Amino acid sequence: MTAVMQDVGTPARPRPFHVGVPALISVATIIVLTLVITWGWGQPERFGSDGIYRAVMNVAVLARLGPVYLAALVVWPVMRLRGASMPWAAVGALSSAITFGIIGAIGSLTYFPPAQAAYYVLNPMVVAAVGSQVGCSAIGEVYVRWRRGGLAALGTWRLWAVAVPIGVAGFTLMYVGVIWDGGSHWFYLWIRGFMALFGTGQ
C-alpha cells in the first residue's frame, strides 16, 4: 500500500534535466550573486554612489542566504514530484550548500594553500547550511507525501519516525553552526581541527 502511494503522481520515466532544473536554478543564483558581491565589494565607485553600493551589497548578501540555507524547501519537493528518487533529490537539495562551501574554499585559496582551503568547506556557515537543507528536505518530503496521497498518507507512523529525527538533526546542526552563541562552539571545534591538521601556522 505504501509503495503504491509513493508512486502516485510520479512520472514513469522522468527526464534528468527536467528533474534537476530546481537545483540548477538555485546553484546558478548563488553563483551569480557571489559574482556580484565579489565584483562590487569595496568598490562603491562602480555603483555611482555609496547609497546604491550599500543597497546592492546588502540585497545581494541577504538574497544569497535564501538558496544557501532554504533551497531544499523548494528543490526537494519539486524534484520528488517530478520523479526524482530520494538519493537524487538529496543531491539536489544539498547542491546549494555544497556550492556555497566550494565557493568559499576557492576564495580562501588567495590566502591558504590548497589543503587548508579545502578544509574551509567545514566552516560553521557551510555546516549550518547543510543542516538547514537536510531539515528543509524532511519538511519537503512530508509535503510530497501529502500531495501524492492526501491526508491519509500523513497518518503513517513510518513517515514521522523518519522525517522528524532527520528534520531535528538537520536544524540542530544549523543551530549549532550559526545560531548558538553566533556559532562560536562549532567554530572552536573547527579551529581545533585546523590546528590538529595544519598546526598554528607560526
Side-chain angles (χ1 to χ4, degrees), residues 10-20 79-85:
T10 303
R13 295 181 181 178
R15 294 169 292 170
F17 180 78
H18 177 71
V19 170
M79 288 186 67
R80 291 280 287 139
L81 292 171
R82 289 184 176 190
S85 64

Side-chain angles (χ1 to χ4, degrees), residues 37 91 94 97 119 146 151 165 168 184 201:
I37 294 167
V91 171
L94 292 174
Y119 183 79
W146 171 73
L151 292 177
V168 169
S184 60

Side-chain angles (χ1 to χ4, degrees), residues 5 8 25 37 54 71 73 79 91 97 99 101 103 111 150 153 155 162 174 183 188 202:
M5 289 176 63
V8 174
I25 291 174
I37 294 167
R54 286 193 296 271
L73 281 175
M79 288 186 67
V91 171
T99 299
I103 289 172
Y111 46 90
V162 175
M174 178 187 179
Y188 174 77
Q202 298 178 349

Side-chain angles (χ1 to χ4, degrees), residues 42-120:
Q43 305 290 336
E45 67 277 3
R46 292 179 173 173
F47 297 86
S49 74
D50 287 346
I52 295 175
Y53 163 73
R54 286 193 296 271
V56 171
M57 289 296 101
N58 287 338
V59 169
V61 169
L62 290 174
R64 188 173 61 170
L65 294 178
V68 168
Y69 286 94
L70 302 173
L73 281 175
V74 175
V75 172
W76 179 279
V78 173
M79 288 186 67
R80 291 280 287 139
L81 292 171
R82 289 184 176 190
S85 64
M86 283 192 174
W88 279 113
V91 171
L94 292 174
S95 61
S96 295
I98 293 170
T99 299
F100 180 63
I102 292 172
I103 289 172
I106 292 172
S108 69
L109 283 171
T110 58
Y111 46 90
F112 282 135
Q116 294 180 15
Y119 183 79
Y120 189 81

Side-chain angles (χ1 to χ4, degrees), residues 7-44:
D7 290 337
V8 174
T10 303
R13 295 181 181 178
R15 294 169 292 170
F17 180 78
H18 177 71
V19 170
V21 163
L24 293 174
I25 291 174
S26 181
V27 168
T29 300
I30 292 172
I31 292 173
V32 169
L33 289 172
T34 299
L35 290 174
V36 170
I37 294 167
T38 302
W39 174 79
W41 196 263
Q43 305 290 336

Side-chain angles (χ1 to χ4, degrees), residues 127-155:
V127 169
V130 170
S132 180
Q133 301 290 15
V134 169
C136 290
S137 296
I139 294 173
E141 184 61 21
V142 171
Y143 174 76
V144 169
R145 298 304 176 95
W146 171 73
R147 281 293 305 273
R148 289 178 174 174
L151 292 177
L154 301 183

